[in-house]
Amino acid sequence: MTKYIVVSGGVVSGIGKGVIASSTGLLLKTLGLKVTAIKIDPYMNIDAGTMRPQEHGEVYVLNDGGEVDLDLGNYERYLNVTLSRDNNITTGKIYKEVIEKERKGDYLGKTVQIVPHVTNEIQDWIERVSKIPVDETGEEPDICIVELGGTVGDIESAPFVEAMRQFQFRVGHENFALIHVSLVPDMHGEQKTKPTQTTVHSLRGLGLLPDLIACRLLVPQPLRPDTKSKISMFCHVAAEQVFGVHDVSSVYHVPLLLQSQGIVEYLTKRLNLKSVEVTEEMADAGLSLAKRWRSMTSLSERAFDTVNIVLVGKYTDLQDSYMSVTKSLEHSAFRVNRKLTVHWVESSDLEPGMQDSAPAKYHDAWRAVVGAGGILVPGGFGNRGTEGMLLAIKYAREQGIPYLGICLGFQLAVIEWSRNVLNITNATSTEFDQDAKSPAIIFMPEISKTHMGGTMRLGLRPTVFQEGTETWSKARKLYGGAGKIWERHRHRYEVNPDWVEKLSASGLPFVGKDEKGERMQVLELRDHPFFMGLQAHPEFCTRPLNPSPPFLGFVAAASGSSVLQEQIEHQSKHFAPPHPEDAMVSEAELRNGHPVAYGKDHVLVNGSTSA
């Protein structure tokens, strides 16, 4: 029987439920248990694909092409698992499912209501998805972490809270535990407990009793013993059920912080985890994970040298817009034993017009670019800020500064080369000008022009390195010398096939293409310390203990040529792709409806699971 741990939140949203949920799952994995995770988002959208990054943060893409909440990225990174779009539940998905069943007559003439029809659909969904294998064992998970987005008391989350109230009885007391995350404000040195008392009171009134209360402090000072005692007394829990989560130097220390307060021992007793059968192999894997995680956090604390990265983006006002990018940089910095410094540059600030309208911003932006150890241009949509990105790319190419372009950053590198090397001064993308006379980048022919949601080229796709690249391509060497690699994609535009020949002939080699050789997917300058662009989003497949190869090479190059060579040699011996073997299939198999397998008894076909 699967054990369920629900993580809810109170007082305010965005205080770290995702990191606490992921950290709890990681600690349970160190016991040798198999862990999966589900995120509930109470908004009406079907998925996160059409949301503005500044409003909801990064749109995270899964192997199956699911566009989901960024917390699923936390789960995949911490737990080293491969999730599906069904691991992200939204109100839109649930209502769509219920309405479709009503239209088909599945409710046999009943009046369809929030209770029981919507709440039953939520419970059925959680129970079904929790059984799907997500790791290399191909076996059903032992533990399912369920994170309830938003805050308790929100109108939109009410059906999900009620579903969880019912669910605790469906699965039984020994198989259900609730962690409630609450803000404990620090006001002039005094830790206030009233908000936590109020939110726990609301939670209890809705029929859910917290087993653990995670007190989130937005300061470096830990939860004081007297505060803990007060929360214990007024929230009707034992002192051992209250733990503090204060600000630490890195989110990767959070699992160790929770472990030091006895969360593992409590959950082991509360959920009777000793009754779960753990093989000797899994137990050893758990011990190895604990050792490597502790070593990683310890080494990162002792890093002395700094690596200085400038991120030139369009959505820098909300840094969560680039969550996976920053995590990829962090993981790579851990590997090369450097302290990471990221300078956020709004791309519009680099454009000449800013010199008159906002000279201070203009000069600050260029000062950051000129002082960069490496320049990164991530993905994005639309024309705004692209001229500033092009100027940053030109500077990196001409000055020999390590450069990494992701998706839009890849396409803009092609446009920059076309303008400044091929002297096609009006080269652009049809995304920016539909009537462009010199389109270096064009709209992909199979993509819908009327529907935005879920219509891009999405999910895990293969890239084939071209013949002859094995001798010189840093990209290929960083992937362990493999002839074919898989990364996740999310784009509507591609390099114009009619331009490929002249671009290549002028010295811009496309070292990686799709299986038919028609789509350009990786570019790399041969005589440059490090200049690389990928159409895919390799940041979505990074892991703390297995960094994304392009990001690792980029950060290593920004740290020095000897560091890059050292990491290339390491990757040639130790690189292992983070994807399940049966997910790495050809484009032809994907087009023919190949199921992305997550275990022999459960497969994912077109976004729906079946057993």
Side-chain angles (χ1 to χ4, degrees):
M1 179 69 184
T2 305
K3 312 278 187 180
Y4 297 88
I5 300 173
V6 176
V7 181
S8 62
V11 186
V12 292
S13 60
I15 55 172
K17 288 193 303 295
V19 172
I20 291 170
S22 303
S23 299
T24 303
L26 174 74
L27 291 173
L28 295 172
K29 282 204 77 163
T30 64
L31 301 179
L33 298 166
K34 300 180 288 292
V35 182
T36 187
I38 294 172
K39 173 68 187 297
I40 295 173
D41 283 303
Y43 46 67
M44 284 296 297
N45 304 60
I46 296 293
D47 59 31
T50 56
M51 289 185 173
R52 292 172 64 243
Q54 295 102 319
E55 185 167 317
H56 199 70
E58 169 186 86
V59 176
Y60 188 77
V61 178
L62 300 168
N63 278 3
D64 66 354
E67 297 174 285
V68 296
D69 184 81
L70 58 82
D71 275 317
L72 272 81
N74 278 328
Y75 306 154
E76 287 202 333
R77 288 187 287 267
Y78 275 71
L79 305 179
N80 192 27
V81 294
T82 300
L83 303 176
S84 76
R85 70 183 74 207
D86 283 354
N87 288 78
N88 192 190
I89 302 174
T90 68
T91 299
K93 284 181 181 179
I94 295 294
Y95 277 38
K96 183 171 182 277
E97 200 77 16
V98 169
I99 290 167
E100 284 180 357
K101 286 182 178 179
E102 186 274 332
R103 292 288 84 188
K104 289 189 290 186
D106 289 358
Y107 297 120
L108 300 175
K110 294 279 188 184
T111 301
V112 180
Q113 297 176 293
I114 302 297
V115 180
H117 301 101
V118 169
T119 53
N120 282 348
E121 185 63 41
I122 293 166
Q123 294 175 74
D124 293 344
W125 191 303
I126 290 171
E127 210 161 12
R128 170 171 53 86
V129 174
S130 70
K131 310 292 186 202
I132 302 172
V134 292
D135 60 22
E136 67 282 358
T137 66
E139 297 174 0
E140 195 173 293
D142 304 309
I143 306 283
C144 179
I145 310 285
V146 181
E147 182 191 345
L148 177 55
T151 55
V152 169
D154 292 345
I155 292 174
E156 56 263 34
S157 65
F160 294 101
V161 173
E162 171 59 20
M164 292 301 95
R165 185 193 68 78
Q166 297 173 22
F167 193 64
Q168 64 186 324
F169 301 110
R170 180 191 282 207
V171 299
H173 181 72
E174 197 176 80
N175 299 313
F176 181 96
L178 174 64
I179 300 175
H180 190 62
V181 183
S182 176
L183 178 69
V184 175
D186 188 299
M187 299 181 67
H188 312 295
E190 182 183 358
Q191 295 177 352
K192 293 291 188 179
T193 66
K194 193 62 73 178
T196 300
Q197 293 179 44
T198 303
T199 185
V200 171
H201 179 77
S202 298
L203 189 67
R204 291 168 65 85
L206 295 168
L208 286 169
L209 310 180
D211 293 287
L212 290 166
I213 299 175
C215 300
R216 183 73 179 92
L217 297 104
L218 305 180
V219 291
Q221 287 72 37
L223 188 70
R224 291 201 305 261
D226 60 316
T227 309
K228 184 174 184 176
S229 299
K230 191 172 182 181
I231 290 171
S232 166
M233 180 189 302
F234 286 102
C235 295
H236 198 64
V237 293
E240 66 170 355
Q241 294 170 260
V242 181
F243 57 95
V245 186
H246 57 273
D247 282 354
V248 286
S249 57
S250 163
V251 291
Y252 304 105
H253 287 280
V254 174
L256 306 180
L257 179 63
L258 300 183
Q259 186 180 43
S260 68
Q261 296 177 73
I263 188 173
V264 174
E265 290 79 7
Y266 178 82
L267 288 174
T268 299
K269 181 174 64 176
R270 170 67 180 76
L271 295 172
N272 190 20
L273 296 180
K274 289 186 177 176
S275 66
V276 179
E277 186 179 341
V278 176
T279 64
E280 188 176 339
E281 183 184 3
M282 290 297 290
D284 290 342
L287 290 172
S288 171
L289 172 61
K291 183 179 178 182
R292 287 181 293 132
W293 193 277
R294 192 173 288 277
S295 173
M296 177 191 73
T297 55
S298 176
L299 286 172
S300 69
E301 284 296 295
R302 296 203 296 269
F304 179 74
D305 295 323
T306 299
V307 59
N308 180 26
I309 302 298
V310 169
L311 189 152
V312 181
K314 300 168 57 123
Y315 317 121
T316 54
D317 49 341
L318 180 64
Q319 295 177 6
D320 274 2
S321 302
Y322 301 112
M323 173 74 81
S324 291
V325 170
T326 55
K327 295 305 174 189
S328 299
L329 294 171
E330 287 174 6
H331 302 164
S332 301
F334 290 160
R335 172 70 68 81
V336 301
N337 197 29
R338 294 292 191 279
K339 282 191 181 298
L340 175 68
T341 301
V342 178
H343 295 281
W344 300 82
V345 172
E346 175 63 40
S347 56
S348 303
D349 292 346
L350 296 169
E351 296 174 359
M354 291 294 287
Q355 197 165 5
D356 297 323
S357 61
K361 287 184 177 181
Y362 177 81
H363 290 295
D364 285 346
W366 273 107
R367 191 177 298 114
V369 168
V370 170
I375 296 172
L376 168 64
V377 176
F381 296 92
N383 188 35
R384 182 184 65 81
T386 53
E387 291 301 321
M389 293 176 177
L390 287 165
L391 290 169
I393 294 167
K394 182 174 186 285
Y395 181 83
R397 180 177 61 79
E398 293 180 342
Q399 300 301 318
I401 307 297
Y403 171 77
L404 180 62
I406 302 298
C407 197
L408 178 63
F410 162 83
Q411 295 172 2
L412 290 175
V414 173
I415 293 172
E416 188 279 323
W417 182 274
S418 302
R419 289 184 182 181
N420 299 308
V421 177
L422 290 177
N423 293 316
I424 307 172
T425 54
N426 63 342
T428 188
S429 167
T430 55
E431 180 179 6
F432 313 146
D433 180 2
Q434 291 185 4
D435 302 317
K437 291 184 170 56
S438 301
I441 307 296
I442 61 169
F443 196 84
M444 294 168 64
E446 72 271 32
I447 302 300
S448 170
K449 293 189 177 183
T450 58
H451 286 67
M452 299 291 285
T455 59
M456 288 185 269
R457 187 169 186 246
L458 291 163
L460 197 68
R461 308 276 177 163
T463 293
V464 178
F465 281 111
Q466 302 305 289
E467 193 174 338
T469 56
E470 62 275 6
T471 59
W472 67 272
S473 169
K474 299 181 188 74
R476 184 165 181 173
K477 290 176 181 178
L478 286 162
Y479 281 97
K484 185 185 284 191
I485 60 169
W486 279 261
E487 292 288 2
R488 296 173 181 175
H489 287 248
R490 185 177 187 248
H491 62 106
R492 289 190 177 90
Y493 293 82
E494 63 177 340
V495 177
N496 189 340
D498 296 337
W499 285 46
V500 172
E501 189 175 339
K502 62 184 173 186
L503 287 165
S504 300
S506 66
L508 184 67
F510 293 98
V511 298
K513 303 180 182 181
D514 73 344
E515 290 170 314
K516 290 185 177 180
E518 297 171 351
R519 289 203 161 113
M520 304 304 107
Q521 300 195 159
V522 184
L523 67 80
E524 181 179 357
L525 291 183
R526 189 165 187 163
D527 299 319
H528 191 284
F530 190 95
F531 191 99
M532 193 180 296
L534 290 94
Q535 182 62 79
H537 287 267
E539 69 270 23
F540 292 143
C541 297
T542 188
R543 302 287 186 268
L545 300 170
N546 186 16
S548 166
F551 282 88
L552 177 60
F554 172 62
V555 172
S559 303
S561 57
S562 61
V563 180
L564 174 59
Q565 190 55 42
E566 181 183 307
Q567 290 306 317
I568 285 174
E569 290 172 8
H570 181 275
Q571 290 291 95
S572 68
K573 297 173 185 173
H574 302 292
F575 172 71
H579 321 293
E581 283 288 336
D582 43 15
M584 295 186 287
V585 298
S586 69
E587 291 251 21
E589 288 177 276
L590 287 170
R591 281 194 295 271
N592 292 332
H594 174 89
V596 181
Y598 291 89
K600 60 185 179 182
D601 299 320
H602 300 79
V603 295
L604 184 79
V605 188
N606 297 327
S608 299
T609 49
S610 60

